[in-house]
Structure formats: C-alpha cells, structure tokens
Amino acid sequence: MTISNQPGKVVPSGLIHRYRDLLPEMPDSAITTIGEGRTPLIEAPKVAAGIGPDVRLFLKFEGLNPTASFKDRGMTVAMSRARAMGMRACICASTGNTAASAAAYAARAGMECFVMVPAGKIALGKAVQVLAHGARIIQINGNFDAALRLSKKAVERRSDIALVNSVNPDRIQGQKTAAFEVCESLGGAPDYLTLPVGNAGNITAYWKGFTEWHAAGNADSTPTVLGFQAAGSAPLVAGHDIENPETVASAIRIGSPASKAGAITAVEESGGAIEAVTDDEILEAQSMLASAEGVFCEPASAAGIAGLLKLAREGRAPSGTIVSILTGHGLKDPDVILNRTKLPEPVEATFEAVSGVMERRIESSERA
C-alpha cells in the first residue's frame, strides 16, 4: 500500500493492482507486494550515437525494483498465488537475483524460503540480500541446472512447497507487465527490444506481454526481439546445452535454459534473433552505460547494449526506437567493478594536494 496525495488516504500499490484484469485471479488477502513495477524508461542519447544516426535508445531500468532486479515482477504474482493455495514454503534455484527476490517476498508473505545456489557462484550483493531476509541458502557442488533439477524434485516430494523459478507460469505472468509499461511510456511498442538471455524466462515474458497488449488493441505493433547470451554460456546460439557455462555475467551463467521454447518462439514470431557477446564486450557496455549515461547496471544487464554495439561494428545495427532491458542494479555484483579498479592512494589534507588531483583529472579529460 502507498499513501496518496490526499491526506489520510491509502491506495493499493504494486503491479498486481495496476494490471489485475490481465493477471491470474487471486484474493486480495493473498496479494504480496513491495511496490514493484513503474521502473523508469531512460533515454540514452550518448550510447545511441555509437549505434547509429537513426536510433532512439531507451533503457528500461529494472534495477530500480524493490530488490533491485526484474525478478520482483514475477515474484509478486508467484508468491501471491502460492499464498492463495496455502503453501507453507517456497524454493528456487538461482544464480542470485531470483534468490534475493524470493527471499524478500517470502519474508513479506510470512513463508519459509529455501534457495539453492551453485557453490561460490552467487554474487556478493545478492547473497547479502538473501541472508538479510532470513532465507536458507543451500549451496551445492554443481551448476544452476543441477540446482533447478533438485528444486523440482523437492517440490515433487512436498505438496506444500512452491517452486518460484521462471518455469512457474505465474512468474511469466508477472514479468510480462514490463512490456505493458514500455508501451505505456512510449505510447506504443518500440521497433526493437534487446535484452540478456539466461534461463530465457524474461524474453518469453516480454514477448507474451507485447503480444497481449497488441491483441487487446492497446498498441499497433509488436517489436522485433533481439536476445543476447554470454559467449561462454550461449546454449541457444550453439544449438545445444552447455555443460559447464562460464561468464563474468553471473545472472546469465546458465547452460540449459528452462524456458528455451519460449525464447525460440519470441525470436521466430518477432523476426528477431539470439546472438552471443563476449565478456569483454559486456563489461565495456556496462562501463559505457555508467560513465556516459549515469546508469549502473550489473554485467548481465549490459548484454543487450553490448549486442547493439557489436551489431553496429559489423554494420548490422537496427534503427528506429530501441528499448534495451537492464535487468539488475550494478550493486548486485560489486566484485566485478572492484576487480577492475581500486581506490586511489590518499593525498595530504591540504588544498594544494587536492587541487593538484583535480587539475590533473580535468586536463586529462580535456585531452581525451
């Protein structure tokens, strides 16, 4: 709930209340929300200039959801539906963002939460969130795909535990609302949508959202969807599962996407494609977004921008209105930045020393 601009009046918040008629049924008493949705659509002219002269580029910054990733959209619906069905607990496999979101929404719902993660493969910012919300982390000596198999088996054995990964259709239902917001902000669908692809639930959800919005007569078209995977974790590009996926972009380090069928449908029906970008290209895009546009996203989020820049270098860049989905905040994975840079050495606490540092930086920027 949020307080309105009318004194003493409290109005419902969260995306379930906004899009109630387009989501699965659930009683008001079960709705679990932390005020997710309504994330900004930020124009990025400096990055757009590096893609092409006829490009208007917008960033849908999902890192400004309550737990700092797009996962909250699906989790509010999945957790609300789990409460409506009388579930006692939830479980998920995760590389980090799903775990953080599940932990927060389970705490809000008063449910136990178990998160299964590959040992040593969860980013620091995400692990801290899970611990803060009181969820139980189960680390396994295996990758995400093994964690998901074990989570599914746990749900098969216990009927009072809900699986809240994106294989749960309620997650897709919630995540599709981001497409509604994009269309509302632009006054229609963009020409192109670019986004990172890991387990492929998000690309599936966006396409579902755009097609439903169009079918309802709220938009005249749907976008061409371009998905990008990390080169070391690109099963949809390779055409087969990757047994040991590796990438600095931990959120998309997945070798066997559970929603691969939905991803394939999205690109085939939209006339799009799924391609791969290298870790260096992803990190370069992350740095560009932060330094040129003031938007700090986690590495995986930058895959869509990395893909656009790669297409531009190869003379294949799209034109028109493009929306790129930034799935999570940069503070989710601080180690990536800390491993590439460090704090400067201290200087004397005098004006002359401080002024010297400032002058050298300004001169360096002018030469560049």
Side-chain angles (χ1 to χ4, degrees):
M1 297 291 181
T2 58
I3 299 175
S4 76
N5 56 9
Q6 300 178 32
K9 184 178 180 181
V10 178
V11 296
S13 65
L15 61 85
I16 291 177
H17 291 288
R18 289 179 63 203
Y19 300 112
R20 195 68 177 271
D21 294 341
L22 298 169
L23 294 171
E25 291 184 8
M26 65 197 82
D28 288 345
S29 60
I31 293 177
T32 304
T33 177
I34 317 177
E36 59 292 320
R38 295 188 185 275
T39 56
L41 194 66
I42 306 166
E43 188 159 11
K46 295 176 184 175
V47 176
I51 298 169
D54 301 319
V55 170
R56 282 194 77 186
L57 176 65
F58 295 87
L59 311 171
K60 181 63 169 168
F61 192 21
E62 291 289 87
L64 296 185
N65 274 299
T67 74
S69 88
F70 76 97
K71 303 289 187 176
D72 295 346
R73 290 184 182 273
M75 204 60 68
T76 183
V77 177
M79 206 66 71
S80 297
R81 295 270 286 172
R83 283 184 72 187
M85 292 184 285
M87 297 294 183
R88 295 179 56 193
C90 67
I91 189 170
C92 67
S94 181
T95 54
N97 279 330
T98 294
S101 185
Y105 281 79
R108 184 76 170 175
M111 295 170 59
E112 290 292 333
C113 179
F114 300 93
V115 299
M116 202 172 303
V117 301
K121 297 294 186 178
I122 182 172
L124 176 62
K126 302 168 189 180
V128 167
Q129 285 180 283
V130 176
L131 294 170
H133 292 303
R136 176 65 182 269
I137 295 178
I138 304 173
Q139 291 200 91
I140 65 164
N141 291 318
N143 59 22
F144 170 85
D145 306 304
L148 182 56
R149 286 194 298 271
L150 289 169
S151 296
K152 289 178 177 178
K153 191 167 185 177
V155 172
E156 290 170 1
R157 298 289 179 89
R158 291 286 301 262
S159 61
D160 57 349
I161 299 179
L163 180 67
V164 292
N165 279 99
S166 60
V167 292
N168 180 335
D170 292 326
R171 280 278 308 278
I172 303 299
Q173 289 283 353
Q175 287 168 210
K176 74 181 182 184
T177 61
F180 301 164
E181 290 184 9
V182 167
C183 291
E184 288 174 329
S185 296
L186 293 176
D191 297 305
Y192 289 86
L193 182 86
T194 75
L195 74 172
V197 177
N199 209 31
N202 214 25
I203 189 172
T204 299
Y206 269 93
W207 184 240
K208 181 177 179 62
F210 282 119
T211 55
E212 287 185 7
W213 202 249
H214 177 253
N218 296 320
D220 296 330
S221 63
T222 56
T224 299
V225 178
L226 302 175
F228 294 95
Q229 298 192 289
S233 180
L236 295 175
V237 179
H240 57 80
D241 289 350
I242 305 296
E243 185 174 350
N244 295 303
E246 286 296 337
T247 173
V248 70
S250 61
I252 54 174
R253 190 190 292 129
I254 296 170
S256 180
S259 299
K260 67 181 71 175
I264 293 169
T265 297
V267 297
E268 288 183 347
E269 292 185 355
S270 73
I274 295 179
E275 299 194 18
V277 286
T278 67
D279 279 2
D280 286 345
E281 289 168 334
I282 288 171
L283 295 177
E284 178 186 354
Q286 182 195 29
S287 295
M288 180 181 292
L289 286 167
S291 61
E293 303 291 359
V295 179
F296 183 33
C297 66
E298 67 173 316
S301 296
I305 296 298
L308 286 171
L309 295 170
K310 174 184 177 180
L311 294 179
R313 289 193 299 271
E314 297 174 354
R316 300 189 290 134
S319 60
T321 300
I322 305 172
V323 171
S324 189
I325 309 303
L326 306 186
T327 49
H329 200 285
L331 292 176
K332 287 280 194 171
D333 200 349
D335 287 347
V336 170
I337 299 297
L338 294 174
N339 289 338
R340 294 160 58 202
T341 187
K342 62 180 180 179
L343 289 172
E345 293 297 320
V347 300
E348 293 300 318
T350 65
F351 178 76
E352 290 76 13
V354 172
S355 179
V357 172
M358 295 170 64
E359 288 298 328
R360 287 191 293 273
R361 178 58 185 255
I362 291 170
E363 290 173 3
S364 176
S365 298
E366 289 175 347
R367 287 195 298 271

